[in-house]
Amino acid sequence: MQPDIWRHLYDGVDYDQFRKDLSNSAIVCVSHFMPYQFRFFSNVCVQAIPHYVPEHLFDAAVWRPDERFYINIVNNFYADNRGVGAKFWDSIDFVDKKLYGAGNRPADAGALESIEQFQDAVAEAAAFLWTADAVAISFAPLEAMLLGCPVIAPKNLDWPLFYEDRVNILLYEEGNYNSCRAAVEYFQSSPAMRRELSARGRATVLEMNRAELFRERWSRVLAAAETAARRGQRRLKMEAAAPPSPFTSLRPATTENPGFVLVTNMDIGGQDALIAHRARTWTVPRQVFRKYRNLESYSPIKYELVRSASGIGKTLFYIGADFELYSVLAARCGSSVACFDFHEFAGTLMERTKALNGLEAISFEKIAFDDGAHRMWAADHSKSRSRSKWADLPGYEITTTKFDDHVAEKGVTDIDLIVIDDVGFETRILRGAEGILAKRKPELVVNCFRHGAYAIGAPVNELLQMLDGLGYRMRYASSLETAADLREIESLQVPELDHFILHAVAKREEIESSTPSASSSAADVS
């Protein structure tokens, strides 16, 4: 460790020299819009810090909803290996467009030399059409959003992690002409929708990229690094082995898991909760906690459904991602909670979260549920939480289990709620739970991913047919809607949304037919 070596700026430095200096640094902090691309590891700590957008320079929405040109703003757009999607931009022939920026072609719109010129370009834009294939979030589209200009961007890298398609941004498949055209046509379909997209995009940038958050993140990481450097490696190892507490919120993980374990607070059920999570994970990064601040705004519909189904004497089974967050909510409402996930590190995180919040009514088991026993490969890397038949990513082998077999082995008879959030596997998991569903009719909250489920041969329409045959009433809503927005599944038609929350409860007639009448109950007693 050499804490006296600090590198603030690298410009034109040889890559090998950069790597050498990086490995000798006590701390590496990166301020950028791409926290997942810029994740460097050092001996003591790491934090990728999203930069702030200067609100005081872009303090008013100047965008007008009925303009004609779709703009892009990139300097040196056609330079080699730029990663900004120049070829794809040139292929777009279904809209009028303008490319701004220095170092581009003479026929392009030219450089923007001042904030006033930037504002004028945005005011005259229909939307900001971002085409990058290797560069994700950058200054120009976010500054345009802050000025009220809607952004249409490829569904790559960090965009889908921080923004919600058709809520505060429009996303299309990277490099896909037809997908981009469909996004533009949707954008052109409704003036009211364009205005809502503008307002929500601006509000999101204001919330996520504030200077106050930027200063707070830097201050926290710098203080932690300086403290850790003074303590030395031996003290760090002792602290890593110590019981977790709110005061050891930055600690190295085990040798097998080189990412760092962080503890971040979040409002859950009206009370502050401390959540242990990996620094590298994409499911619950610290940036997401800071973005939403409380669990209810993270997914209003899921929050309401889990909370309403929880209570003293009730039992919740939670399968998949975000199990820590909703387990804390259900346990605070009085439920007993059983969590299941297939990642090696998940149990450690859950135990730390339980200890930090003083919750004993939560259990965890490392299990991958499916429609039978299958040997699969669990990926474990910085951008994915997934499993498949192919060992094409770093990870380990797992053997899946049927839910019915598990509950039979454990002697479980009463389950009030099952929550499933295992991307693409929702149909297969519930196929393996058909016995308990038919017998006990637990309430279901299922994160459905239409294309993910279709890709592994278990489409959501098969899930709807199975639940209907078992006597379930089904409704759905997007993850950002509330319980009041739940809509009926009509004629077993899969909703058009790629991602939605499915809520299923036993049909009333099924409940009534399985419940003894008052007279028969009296006869039984007599």
Side-chain angles (χ1 to χ4, degrees), residues 24 44 51 59 61 116 140 176 193 199 261 350 412 428 481:
N24 288 327
V44 177
H51 212 293
D59 57 354
E116 289 73 21
N176 188 312
M193 177 271 295
V261 180
M350 189 70 254
V412 176
R428 287 169 53 160
E481 293 181 304

Side-chain angles (χ1 to χ4, degrees), residues 358-379:
L359 298 171
E360 296 299 325
I362 303 174
S363 65
F364 175 86
E365 289 190 63
K366 180 176 171 284
I367 292 178
F369 286 116
D370 209 324
D371 55 6
H374 308 294
R375 292 174 66 184
M376 305 189 77
W377 191 259

Side-chain angles (χ1 to χ4, degrees), residues 37-54:
Q37 281 194 327
F38 286 75
R39 181 175 288 105
F40 298 111
F41 291 90
S42 186
N43 292 333
V44 177
C45 68
V46 62
Q47 177 77 49
I49 303 175
H51 212 293
Y52 71 93
V53 177

Side-chain angles (χ1 to χ4, degrees), residues 369-376 387-389 400-403 420 422 424-434 453 455-459 462-463 466:
F369 286 116
D370 209 324
D371 55 6
H374 308 294
R375 292 174 66 184
M376 305 189 77
R387 53 179 164 132
S388 70
K389 295 183 292 184
T400 61
T401 303
K402 284 180 66 174
F403 188 86
I420 297 176
D422 195 340
F425 283 83
E426 51 270 21
T427 300
R428 287 169 53 160
I429 290 172
L430 287 173
R431 278 182 196 154
E434 194 167 355
I456 64 170
E462 294 182 5
L463 171 61
M466 183 188 77

Side-chain angles (χ1 to χ4, degrees), residues 376-426:
M376 305 189 77
W377 191 259
D380 186 15
H381 66 111
S382 62
K383 287 190 179 179
S384 178
R385 175 201 172 280
S386 60
R387 53 179 164 132
S388 70
K389 295 183 292 184
W390 301 282
D392 55 351
L393 292 170
Y396 44 87
E397 191 175 71
I398 57 175
T399 300
T400 61
T401 303
K402 284 180 66 174
F403 188 86
D404 281 342
D405 292 344
H406 175 77
V407 297
E409 178 186 340
K410 298 294 183 179
V412 176
T413 56
D414 293 323
I415 303 175
D416 297 288
L417 173 65
I418 300 175
V419 182
I420 297 176
D421 191 355
D422 195 340
V423 177
F425 283 83
E426 51 270 21

Side-chain angles (χ1 to χ4, degrees), residues 188-258:
Q188 295 171 340
S189 65
S190 168
M193 177 271 295
R194 292 197 290 273
R195 288 191 291 270
E196 290 177 5
L197 200 67
S198 166
R200 289 171 179 168
R202 174 175 164 78
T204 301
V205 174
L206 286 171
E207 178 63 24
M208 290 177 57
N209 298 92
R210 289 181 290 119
E212 294 83 359
L213 282 177
F214 177 76
R215 286 193 293 268
E216 184 240 329
R217 288 162 178 158
W218 265 102
S219 298
R220 183 178 63 245
V221 175
L222 290 172
E226 291 170 355
T227 301
R230 288 195 298 270
R231 291 176 177 176
Q233 290 279 25
R234 183 177 179 184
R235 179 62 182 272
L236 282 173
K237 291 178 180 177
M238 293 173 60
E239 185 179 274
S245 76
F247 307 106
T248 56
S249 61
L250 184 65
R251 59 172 73 231
T254 62
T255 304
E256 294 77 23
N257 295 277

Side-chain angles (χ1 to χ4, degrees), residues 144-425:
M145 287 177 81
L146 195 56
L147 291 171
C149 183
V151 169
I152 303 172
K155 194 185 300 182
N156 62 3
L157 300 174
D158 291 344
W159 286 111
L161 302 180
F162 293 101
Y163 297 91
E164 186 80 10
D165 188 23
R166 299 195 177 189
V167 175
N168 45 34
I169 197 171
L170 291 182
L171 299 176
Y172 63 91
E173 298 299 329
E174 174 190 313
N176 188 312
Y177 178 94
N178 291 329
S179 177
C180 181
R181 183 168 190 160
V184 170
E185 289 174 350
Y186 175 80
F187 177 74
Q188 295 171 340
S189 65
S190 168
M193 177 271 295
R194 292 197 290 273
R195 288 191 291 270
E196 290 177 5
L197 200 67
S198 166
R200 289 171 179 168
R202 174 175 164 78
T204 301
V205 174
L206 286 171
E207 178 63 24
M208 290 177 57
N209 298 92
R210 289 181 290 119
E212 294 83 359
L213 282 177
F214 177 76
R215 286 193 293 268
E216 184 240 329
R217 288 162 178 158
W218 265 102
S219 298
R220 183 178 63 245
V221 175
L222 290 172
E226 291 170 355
T227 301
R230 288 195 298 270
R231 291 176 177 176
Q233 290 279 25
R234 183 177 179 184
R235 179 62 182 272
L236 282 173
K237 291 178 180 177
M238 293 173 60
E239 185 179 274
S245 76
F247 307 106
T248 56
S249 61
L250 184 65
R251 59 172 73 231
T254 62
T255 304
E256 294 77 23
N257 295 277
F260 288 87
V261 180
L262 305 178
V263 176
T264 303
N265 63 303
M266 188 182 205
D267 183 292
I268 297 181
Q271 302 178 53
D272 200 41
L274 293 164
I275 306 296
H277 61 93
R278 293 177 68 175
R280 294 199 298 166
T281 184
W282 74 278
T283 51
V284 282
R286 174 164 278 175
Q287 292 95 325
V288 172
F289 286 142
R290 298 302 187 201
K291 172 183 175 181
Y292 290 101
R293 300 176 181 270
N294 61 71
L295 185 57
E296 185 172 6
S297 61
Y298 179 58
S299 176
I301 178 67
K302 200 170 172 184
Y303 175 89
E304 290 181 35
L305 292 176
V306 171
R307 185 166 189 173
S308 65
S310 301
I312 296 173
K314 293 192 173 183
T315 301
L316 162 66
F317 275 47
Y318 197 106
I319 302 167
D322 293 340
F323 61 89
E324 286 183 279
L325 306 179
Y326 294 96
S327 296
V328 170
L329 173 64
R332 283 183 167 176
C333 292
S335 292
S336 296
V337 186
C339 303
F340 306 90
D341 194 52
F342 55 82
H343 269 190
E344 300 279 4
F345 213 51
T348 302
L349 296 176
M350 189 70 254
E351 289 303 317
R352 290 185 179 179
T353 297
K354 283 175 57 178
L356 288 167
N357 296 282
L359 298 171
E360 296 299 325
I362 303 174
S363 65
F364 175 86
E365 289 190 63
K366 180 176 171 284
I367 292 178
F369 286 116
D370 209 324
D371 55 6
H374 308 294
R375 292 174 66 184
M376 305 189 77
W377 191 259
D380 186 15
H381 66 111
S382 62
K383 287 190 179 179
S384 178
R385 175 201 172 280
S386 60
R387 53 179 164 132
S388 70
K389 295 183 292 184
W390 301 282
D392 55 351
L393 292 170
Y396 44 87
E397 191 175 71
I398 57 175
T399 300
T400 61
T401 303
K402 284 180 66 174
F403 188 86
D404 281 342
D405 292 344
H406 175 77
V407 297
E409 178 186 340
K410 298 294 183 179
V412 176
T413 56
D414 293 323
I415 303 175
D416 297 288
L417 173 65
I418 300 175
V419 182
I420 297 176
D421 191 355
D422 195 340
V423 177
F425 283 83

